[in-house]
Amino acid sequence: MQERNRTEISTLGEFGLIKHLTDHLKLTNDSTKYGVGDDCAVLEYPEGKQILVTNDLLLEGIHFDLTYVPMKHLGYKSAMVNFSDVYAMNGMPKQLVVSIALSKRFCVEDMEDFYDGLRMACEAHGVDIVGGDTTPSLTGLAISITCIGEADKRQVVYRNGAKETDLICVSGDLGAAYMGLQLLEREKTVFNQQMKESAEAAQPDFSGKEYLLERQLKPEARRDIVEALAKASIKPTAMMDISDGLSSELLHICTQSGVGCRIYEEHIPLDYQTAVMAEELNMNVTTCALNGGEDYELLFTVPIADYEKVCHIEGVKMIGHITKADLGCVLVCRDGNEFELKAQGWNPLK
Amino acid sequence: MQERNRTEISTLGEFGLIKHLTDHLKLTNDSTKYGVGDDCAVLEYPEGKQILVTNDLLLEGIHFDLTYVPMKHLGYKSAMVNFSDVYAMNGMPKQLVVSIALSKRFCVEDMEDFYDGLRMACEAHGVDIVGGDTTPSLTGLAISITCIGEADKRQVVYRNGAKETDLICVSGDLGAAYMGLQLLEREKTVFNQQMKESAEAAQPDFSGKEYLLERQLKPEARRDIVEALAKASIKPTAMMDISDGLSSELLHICTQSGVGCRIYEEHIPLDYQTAVMAEELNMNVTTCALNGGEDYELLFTVPIADYEKVCHIEGVKMIGHITKADLGCVLVCRDGNEFELKAQGWNPLK
């Protein structure tokens, strides 16, 4: 372990900490009129723009495990998952408000690391941090992020516009973030076991599995896809980001659009490392891709007339098509068998 | 105790719960284009309006104690404290996004009560609920509320515009919410002690102290004051809401405006019940009013030329005036003694 300074938050106090973390934030967007430091942030958007608002509440022990997630990555990912929601509306994220509740376990350096990651994500996506509050917590860390974005009035894409015969597309590949999580959980168990038995443990070897870790610890929201769609003059009929798993998201689109769908196992995009890891863990890789979650890829539908155009967008795969509602939501397997897609949300009793 | 139904959240699941809570929400504002049910809420504000954004993260055990705060009141208050931040910018709240993390201790009926309170507050202030997420938590309840409001471009009031000779005004009265908290905490201790000794306890008698409880459990954000200021054609030079105590807020205004202030103990507005309760608890009532917090009143400064106009606004008191920075921030006591005002924020080591 690296030696680190530890400055107690009490040495700065609440207002001192906020000032310390937010003092040098740069504001770069025209729509940002006033950032951190008053009762509200103040924004102003030009006529013709619609404003997109999303919020995520992330809790230690539920959404992240600090035994293997560094604070800097946590800051980065917390921002990314919110940007992803804005891209899913075919918009561009512009401002971010963060509120953090932290227990005495955390020090000023932890918060600096968190903000470093947050800032890095914001700079990469042209987003201004316009609100940054901190508050105490009895146990662990809680993070609330609100992201505000914009889209041309006529370009906003909802979940409810998918039509029969539309093509179903996904960006990137699926299941890798979930495999990364399994890998980290496994190594954590091994590490804890070794520490128990001999009070020392070997550092885990992740070579050949870097992509899985990166997908779990440092996801990238797909701004490039939204830009590519605009460039190709494609307005999807429906879109959302894949955070709970392809299966669950596809069912949302179908329910809200009043349609069915048919997707093909052989077309679901997978990375080589995902397949290897699933094999190693004796899991079905398609199940991981369907239900794994945290991919932060975009799932969207386009009219069949856009087939040619969408073919030329790098990193987008067509996995099936929209059908009449009464045909249901169907996965066609490699062997020709068909299965009904099932949703999975969190369930506190599970 | 009243008999209540208890429906486990697992019977609805995540998506079922969200749907159950948000299904019948009415959207009433022109600026709300799409509410709950997609990746983002979609808003559209007319030209000339600036958009105000604020977020609060409220945690069980830190910001509220469910042994004496009913869920409905919690919902109501959670919304109010955010509206208050928007009024503090001289704006009107229009949309609200809520994210809730809850442990297995909570049931569907708890969430219904919370939403009832939230909705009641929103209806009273013309605010649309446009986002409502729920997520599990390991321990207790965490609530994140984002409020979006609007103000005419030229009417937004910051904390940094107070000028020498400006009058310092506050709405309502101060310290009552803090006294309400002391009262509830005292009765909780008595109740627990009685239960320990004889397994039964008398219901506490709060008669004559109703106002203190109401100020703590059901605060009202001062929309009426913002409306009265507009009607009187007064644009404050600086404004904020009093959530951490008069003393702390006044120091924020003075620091950010680069000025000093002089306020008079005899002019600080107090309710009779606040004074009686302070006496009963052997506390200095002025200290309670200065540092108590949770008043959600408005603190603002106006040019001395507005003296006549501000005199006619009901429920507003002038408590002092702005001075040169080098004169400091001073409280003049009834006996003529002068004290330097001190800030108090949270400090996790205290």
Side-chain angles (χ1 to χ4, degrees), chain B residues 295-317:
Chain B
D295 295 307
Y296 302 109
E297 294 295 342
L298 291 174
L299 168 68
F300 57 95
T301 56
V302 297
I304 198 157
D306 283 339
Y307 174 80
E308 287 278 348
K309 290 197 250 172
V310 90
C311 274
H312 290 102
I313 300 182
E314 215 186 296
V316 169
K317 291 270 176 304

Side-chain angles (χ1 to χ4, degrees), chain B residues 252-277:
Chain B
H252 279 302
I253 286 184
C254 288
T255 307
Q256 293 191 34
S257 300
V259 295
C261 71
R262 210 170 159 82
I263 60 168
Y264 297 85
E265 184 184 17
E266 62 185 322
H267 293 143
I268 296 173
L270 300 169
D271 185 79
Y272 173 73
Q273 289 188 17
T274 309
V276 170
M277 189 70 205

Side-chain angles (χ1 to χ4, degrees), chain B residues 37-324:
Chain B
D38 218 297
D39 296 285
C40 293
V42 182
L43 317 178
E44 191 179 337
Y45 280 94
E47 235 197 316
K49 294 283 182 191
Q50 288 192 331
I51 303 154
L52 309 169
V53 184
T54 181
N55 173 267
D56 264 302
L57 180 54
L58 305 169
L59 300 191
E60 186 178 354
I62 300 283
H63 302 94
F64 54 88
D65 182 337
L66 290 174
T67 52
Y68 52 69
V69 179
M71 288 298 277
K72 194 168 169 177
H73 283 75
L74 183 61
Y76 190 89
K77 184 168 173 174
S78 303
M80 268 317 155
V81 304
N82 278 280
F83 300 166
S84 187
D85 279 322
V86 175
Y87 294 132
M89 303 296 290
N90 207 28
M92 288 288 154
K94 294 291 175 183
Q95 286 92 15
L96 179 145
V97 174
V98 56
S99 296
I100 305 173
L102 58 155
S103 68
K104 289 183 207 169
R105 214 174 88 221
F106 298 92
C107 63
V108 174
E109 287 78 8
D110 292 328
M111 287 299 104
E112 287 171 351
D113 287 349
F114 180 87
Y115 260 78
D116 277 348
L118 199 66
R119 204 160 31 223
M120 197 178 289
C122 286
E123 280 170 13
H125 289 252
V127 172
D128 294 333
I129 300 175
V130 297
D133 204 9
T134 68
T135 178
S137 120
L138 290 181
T139 54
L141 189 64
I143 302 161
S144 164
I145 299 214
T146 301
C147 186
I148 299 116
E150 66 169 34
D152 277 348
K153 210 169 150 161
R154 284 170 308 250
Q155 294 301 319
V156 175
V157 175
Y158 294 91
R159 298 177 178 177
N160 61 10
K163 302 266 183 310
E164 209 190 323
T165 75
D166 279 359
L167 301 169
I168 301 169
C169 307
V170 292
S171 64
D173 58 78
L174 303 179
Y178 181 71
M179 284 294 105
L181 181 64
Q182 299 308 310
L183 179 61
L184 287 163
E185 285 286 343
R186 186 181 71 177
E187 295 306 322
K188 179 185 165 184
T189 309
V190 170
F191 187 90
N192 287 342
Q193 192 57 35
Q194 289 180 349
M195 289 299 283
K196 224 162 105 184
E197 285 165 3
S198 62
E200 60 184 51
Q203 281 296 313
D205 179 13
F206 291 127
S207 61
K209 303 197 164 68
E210 294 84 355
Y211 180 66
L212 304 180
L213 292 186
E214 198 179 301
R215 292 288 282 175
Q216 172 56 226
L217 296 175
K218 197 168 171 286
E220 297 293 337
R222 300 307 303 262
R223 181 189 192 89
D224 58 334
I225 299 294
V226 175
E227 288 171 340
L229 287 168
K231 208 174 153 196
S233 302
I234 298 172
K235 184 188 172 191
T237 49
M239 183 152 65
M240 64 186 294
D241 74 324
I242 305 179
S243 53
D244 292 341
L246 174 63
S247 190
S248 166
E249 316 304 15
L250 202 45
L251 286 168
H252 279 302
I253 286 184
C254 288
T255 307
Q256 293 191 34
S257 300
V259 295
C261 71
R262 210 170 159 82
I263 60 168
Y264 297 85
E265 184 184 17
E266 62 185 322
H267 293 143
I268 296 173
L270 300 169
D271 185 79
Y272 173 73
Q273 289 188 17
T274 309
V276 170
M277 189 70 205
E279 183 78 27
E280 205 176 313
L281 295 173
N282 213 8
M283 295 171 98
N284 180 309
V285 69
T286 303
T287 306
C288 297
L290 284 173
N291 301 315
E294 295 204 273
D295 295 307
Y296 302 109
E297 294 295 342
L298 291 174
L299 168 68
F300 57 95
T301 56
V302 297
I304 198 157
D306 283 339
Y307 174 80
E308 287 278 348
K309 290 197 250 172
V310 90
C311 274
H312 290 102
I313 300 182
E314 215 186 296
V316 169
K317 291 270 176 304
M318 282 171 271
I319 59 167
H321 59 270
I322 297 293
T323 64
K324 279 195 169 58

Side-chain angles (χ1 to χ4, degrees), chain A residues 226-235 306 309-310 312-313:
Chain A
V226 175
E227 287 171 341
L229 287 168
K231 208 174 153 195
S233 302
I234 299 173
K235 184 188 171 191
D306 283 339
K309 288 198 251 172
V310 91
H312 290 102
I313 300 181

Side-chain angles (χ1 to χ4, degrees), chain A residues 94-113:
Chain A
K94 295 291 176 184
Q95 286 93 13
L96 181 146
V97 173
V98 55
S99 296
I100 304 173
L102 58 154
S103 68
K104 289 185 208 170
R105 216 174 85 221
F106 298 92
C107 62
V108 173
E109 289 76 9
D110 292 329
M111 287 300 104
E112 287 171 350
D113 287 349

